[in-house]
Amino acid sequence: MSRHLTIHIVASVPYSNLNRDDAGTPKNVRRGGVTCALLSSQSIKKGIRTKYETTSADKSVRSGQLVDVICSRAAEIAPEADEKALTKEAKKLIGTLTKTAEVAEGTQESDRSIWLSDEEIEVAAAQIAANASDGTFIENGQTGSLAIAAFGRMFAAAPQKGTEAALSVSPAVTTHGVQIATDYFSTADDIREQNRDTGATFLGVAQYTTGVFYRTVTIDKQQLKDSWTGFSSDESEKNLRALIDAIIYGLPRGKQHSTAPFVQPALVFAEEQQYRCAYDFETPVKPDKAEGGYLIPTMTELDRQYTAARSFDPDNFGATQVVTGTYPELGTLFEGTNHTTKNELIDQVVAWIMDQ
């Protein structure tokens, strides 16, 4: 049995700007001679983590202000403790993980962001409250947070306590060229309207795009077992199910309320792999001549690459090969795979992870 499983996801995302650059333009990349829309892997990870932690009891905090969080909890544990002493110890504890940045004279050092599970915050607060902090509230290379184990973390001053990521997340890129649309908008003024005055409170422009996005997430189950201390807990399967569900649905949330662009994926394809790999759209697909749109040629091209990959190296693919999605003709594609529902796909992926 292989240690890698790659989940391929295709989704047609309507008019949106889920992930934008510093100028507000939808992120994009030149590929195959055309401009393709892009959702960064960082933004996808944030979307997955947010959905996972919203639906599970497994929480974590990533912030540059964890000293305040730890002190607040320590004060609840030991209300008689001196607040300044707690703050001093919390800063000392966090300082064992982060390097002090050099700053110009007269300027304030910026917050140093780190990522801790709720369990680690609780242990740190308890140690400080008991005046027994020894810097060992984090296990070397491990964590009880599935999100942290999945995406990894590092500590500049304590690299041995960093956690190697068990998931590899690709950017989502459209399989075809796109146009960036500019939308002129104004903000209505109720009082002006009541007085029959013309004009608006604010005038502006925003940019959007649309397209069929392809992305992948590869799970290294051996690394997950090494990084995640909750692997053998009673909640492990439940949390893993929530994580896989979040991988399927988790996308960035830029301008989500003004565009409401979220749709169910056309394809979710999980395949066990000896050497982790994805498929490729270096040649952008063209609109379907009969039906229009890019989804049909995207699925056709993926099926072609699926067949070619097995002709090239059939030994690279293991027994777990599961397909689901909303694409109407999915049953005619990816011959030899198990076509099923979303929940059954999650069941099989979780069973593959747990089978060590």
Side-chain angles (χ1 to χ4, degrees), residues 74-330:
E76 292 176 353
I77 296 172
E80 74 286 353
D82 178 70
E83 183 178 344
K84 289 185 177 179
L86 291 177
T87 300
K88 180 180 178 180
E89 286 302 309
K91 287 183 176 179
K92 182 180 177 181
L93 192 63
I94 295 299
T96 64
L97 303 174
T98 62
K99 290 183 178 179
T100 302
E102 294 184 5
V103 296
E105 185 176 351
T107 62
Q108 186 176 1
E109 181 186 353
S110 60
D111 291 332
R112 292 169 284 170
S113 179
I114 60 173
W115 192 6
L116 300 178
S117 69
D118 276 6
E119 178 186 19
E120 290 162 344
I121 291 172
E122 186 71 17
V123 172
Q127 289 183 0
I128 290 171
N131 196 26
S133 174
D134 58 3
T136 59
F137 71 103
I138 296 176
E139 297 186 49
N140 288 357
Q142 293 187 309
T143 178
S145 162
L146 179 53
I148 295 175
F151 301 125
R153 64 180 174 186
M154 62 170 288
F155 301 111
Q160 74 280 5
K161 293 188 178 298
T163 308
E164 187 73 21
L167 266 60
S168 300
V169 181
S170 80
V173 181
T174 55
T175 60
H176 53 87
V178 301
Q179 296 289 328
I180 306 297
T182 299
D183 176 44
Y184 168 86
F185 66 93
S186 61
T187 302
D189 189 309
D190 293 342
I191 294 178
R192 283 178 180 269
E193 288 186 359
Q194 291 171 10
N195 295 333
R196 299 183 181 277
D197 291 340
T198 59
T201 304
F202 178 78
L203 303 175
V205 295
Q207 294 180 307
Y208 300 91
T209 191
T210 180
V212 176
F213 287 84
Y214 169 68
R215 62 186 176 95
T216 65
V217 176
T218 298
I219 303 168
D220 182 338
K221 69 176 179 180
Q222 184 57 52
Q223 184 60 58
L224 187 61
K225 183 179 181 181
D226 294 342
S227 298
W228 185 37
T229 59
F231 201 95
S232 59
S233 71
D234 293 339
E235 297 293 310
S236 60
E237 289 195 28
K238 180 180 178 181
N239 287 339
L240 284 169
R241 287 188 58 83
L243 178 63
I244 304 306
D245 191 66
I247 288 171
I248 292 171
Y249 280 115
L251 281 174
R253 292 295 189 265
K255 291 186 177 292
Q256 61 173 323
H257 299 303
S258 57
T259 58
F262 302 111
V263 298
Q264 293 183 314
L267 171 70
V268 182
F269 172 31
E271 61 177 354
E272 181 183 351
Q273 300 173 335
Q274 182 70 30
Y275 301 101
R276 64 186 190 190
C277 58
Y279 300 108
D280 183 65
F281 288 89
E282 194 278 330
T283 300
V285 300
K286 304 294 184 183
D288 182 73
K289 293 180 180 179
E291 302 291 338
Y294 295 103
L295 185 55
I296 292 174
T298 296
M299 299 296 288
T300 301
E301 174 60 17
L302 267 181
D303 183 59
R304 184 195 69 78
Q305 293 188 38
Y306 163 87
T307 302
R310 280 148 183 79
S311 296
F312 170 71
D313 186 8
D315 295 334
N316 190 50
F317 304 99
T320 301
Q321 299 186 48
V322 197
V323 171
T324 190
T326 62
Y327 184 66
E329 305 301 323
L330 197 56

